[in-house]
Amino acid sequence: MPSPHSPGRLRRFRPRRLVRTAALAAALALLSPLGTADVVSAGTREEPAADVDVQVNAQASLGRLTDTARGVNAAIWDSHMNDPEVVSLMKQADVGAMRYPGGSYADIYHWETHTAPGGYVAPGTGFDAFMSTVRATGAQPILIANYGSGTPEEAAGWVRYANITKRYGAKYWEIGNEIYGNGHYGSGWEHDDHADKSPQEYARQVRAYAAAMKAVDPTVKIGAVLTEPGNWPDGVVGQGDLGDWNHTVLSQVTDVIDFVSVHWYAGGSDTTADAALSRLSRLPGELREVRNQLDRYAGADSPRIGIALTEVNTNTGGALLTARPNGLFAADAFATALENGVFNVDWWNTHNGPGEIHTVDGETDYGDMGMLSSGACSGAVCQPAANTPFHPYYGMKMTSELGTAGDTMVAAGSSAQDVSAHAVRRRDGRLSVLLINKDPDAARTVDLAYEGFTPSAATPEVSRYARGDSDITDVTGSGATASRVTVPPYGMLTVTLSPKAGTGPGASAAGTPGTPKLEAVTDTTARLSWAGASGAARYLVQERDGTHTWVVGETTGTSVTLRNLPAGSTHTVNVLAADASGRLAAPSGPLTFTTGTPSDAACAVTYHRDTGWGNGFVTTVTVRNLSDTPVTGWTLDWDWPTGGQSVSSGWNATFEQTGRHVRVTAPEGAGPLAPDGASTASFGFVGANDGPNPDPTAFRLNGAVCSGG
């Protein structure tokens, strides 16, 4: 399992909308014979100020939900893995993927004999029995080929049996589990019989596995194991290696893989609910860095390679695992990951077994990483009957109330850190909003506002999971409106709204354009193209920052060049088609790209990360002056891509950081930088990262943008 993050606590605050009561009353008094006093008292009595604002932008697509979006892990040591109740519960939660044979057991498991030397294998957990459960659920299997003690030939035999002999149509195959945990970096938990445990050897073997498996069935999708950026051993360079795990593996396998597999546990020495929930804020940046790495090594082929989050939970052991806060975490984690470019999220685990016993929110927490009870005991404390759902199950199930395969995730933002918001535009035109209140003590009143969606006057459908509910509960008609809802403490609501007649994408004669592709990019321009939509009279290209969007391009064709972009800047865009009447269809999928640096710049910078250890790193920076005049008394500026990066200490220069901005000043007595690159200035620093650690994208020497990076 990944090493834990450093602790962090959720800071609660409740921004309040400013209500100018006196001004409102005065304006209404001019229009109403009731008088100011009556208007104010009525308004105050009926509409107290909300303490959270949620903005939903239905024109800002975050991508579509896949049929494998919600998944769970299944383990061969779990005697309840194939119970009939599992099928029923997973179907109710719209589970579309089941991963087998179970984490690290995959690297000791031999499918043909159904054995795992050194580990326990429960009766009735063989591959065919598992596939019976998968098919009855209506899900797809995600299978882990044995890398640790297996061979490419053994994996190819499994593909032949699954897809040729049995015709199971198993599409997704990972090569090993957490192979970076094989001891190459010092700490080891993953079985690996290879004499060479380096990332270079893993990459070589991935190519061999992919060739053997696709020779049997060319349609299978092969997945390579990566570390999650910002989590150990990300950034660590092993002895004899040229780079860390991810960069080494990806530099050699992007042409033969179809997806990458990462794991994410909130971790931290602080196992309180608030800490685990707050650490979710790191996940989007870490997933974005996975895509950045794919972009770097796969180039234009990067969109073809998917990202699967095949294990997720709060901790890798200990408390706060079956309690209500982990149910909130499950819903938030599934939705957050899917909004940030992941096609599949798999909870660890279906059943797991009890651990340390605690009381959380007035209930027994069994210290169990499973979604369902295994019915086992820890000392004198026994779990409820096998397959009784724990809170994380209902968290996952609540996300199925939000949307299903083919629905479009759209941008939603909350003004409060302890109230999360997620939104989905349904294929039938409805809009669903999931609100998660992480405050254990107070209900939160939420004002909802929309862009690109006009709700009808119909009463919204509302589903709730909160204290006192034994399942997802229909509370339609309980007072929620399209513009205001109240979310119970430690509770979740999904609000589903119908569009006003004649509005929304359904009213447009245009279809949905294809997701834009990046055809070419320079330091100041980006050329995009997309598949056209039927009935489109013109296309709007819009950029998104959070829930805010603005038009940056317009054309009647299916390509556009965006100009005057800052060097080294990152942009996320969608395309919308308008019909002849100007009515907008649904947005395309999103594209995120980063501009480069000028090739003819008067300076060049090399930023080299020498080593790292998950939450820290050492970097050497070299600066050259390419102009025809010397540069004396230089400063070098850059901005960190994420808020968790910083300079701790450095040498051969003076360092200053304000927010994300870093300024490095030449040391006292430093000579000039000679013209035409005849001399260099080099300095280094120790940095810290709380989360992902992407390299800066642009450097400025005395204010001028440099090439390189």
Side-chain angles (χ1 to χ4, degrees), residues 608-625:
H608 184 266
R609 201 184 315 167
D610 305 323
T611 189
W613 49 90
N615 61 356
F617 58 103
V618 176
T619 291
T620 299
V621 180
T622 302
V623 184
R624 287 188 298 152
N625 168 30

Side-chain angles (χ1 to χ4, degrees), residues 70 89 92-93 322-324 326-332 334 347 370-372 387-401 434 464-466 469-473 492 494:
R70 277 170 289 273
L89 288 165
Q92 291 175 42
T322 66
R324 185 174 301 278
N326 212 21
L328 305 180
F329 175 91
D332 216 2
F334 271 88
W347 189 261
M371 280 195 160
L372 308 178
N387 297 308
T388 300
F390 293 132
H391 290 293
Y393 168 80
Y394 294 114
M396 178 181 66
K397 185 178 180 182
M398 182 58 97
T399 67
S400 69
E401 298 285 314
L434 169 62
R464 182 190 68 201
Y465 187 67
D469 294 329
S470 58
D471 202 339
I472 309 298
T473 304
M492 299 181 278
T494 297

Side-chain angles (χ1 to χ4, degrees), residues 229-230 234 289 607 609 611 614 616-617 619 640-642 645-646 688-689 691-695:
D234 176 48
E289 180 59 9
Y607 179 96
R609 201 184 315 167
T611 189
F617 58 103
T619 291
W640 293 118
T642 75
Q645 297 170 282
S646 61
N689 57 290
N693 186 30
D695 292 348

Side-chain angles (χ1 to χ4, degrees), residues 342-425:
V342 168
F343 74 88
N344 160 254
V345 183
D346 302 320
W347 189 261
W348 183 272
N349 200 5
T350 303
H351 308 89
N352 207 74
E356 187 177 353
I357 306 298
H358 289 266
T359 299
V360 179
D361 195 40
E363 300 176 311
T364 300
D365 184 289
Y366 297 97
D368 190 324
M369 301 179 75
M371 280 195 160
L372 308 178
S373 171
S374 64
C377 302
S378 177
V381 179
C382 293
Q383 293 184 347
N387 297 308
T388 300
F390 293 132
H391 290 293
Y393 168 80
Y394 294 114
M396 178 181 66
K397 185 178 180 182
M398 182 58 97
T399 67
S400 69
E401 298 285 314
L402 179 65
T404 56
D407 292 340
T408 299
M409 297 169 286
V410 297
S414 170
S415 65
Q417 287 183 330
D418 55 0
V419 176
S420 293
H422 307 278
V424 166
R425 191 157 207 165

Side-chain angles (χ1 to χ4, degrees), residues 547-563:
T547 60
H548 179 54
T549 55
W550 60 97
V551 174
V552 292
E554 184 174 345
T555 181
T556 56
T558 55
S559 64
V560 70
T561 298
L562 306 181
R563 304 184 186 279

Side-chain angles (χ1 to χ4, degrees), residues 2 110 121 233 238 336 386 514 534 553 571 580 612 650 652 694:
H110 300 284
V121 177
T336 298
S534 60
H571 308 265
N652 294 343

Side-chain angles (χ1 to χ4, degrees), residues 167 427 591:
R167 300 184 183 277
R427 287 163 293 169
L591 167 70

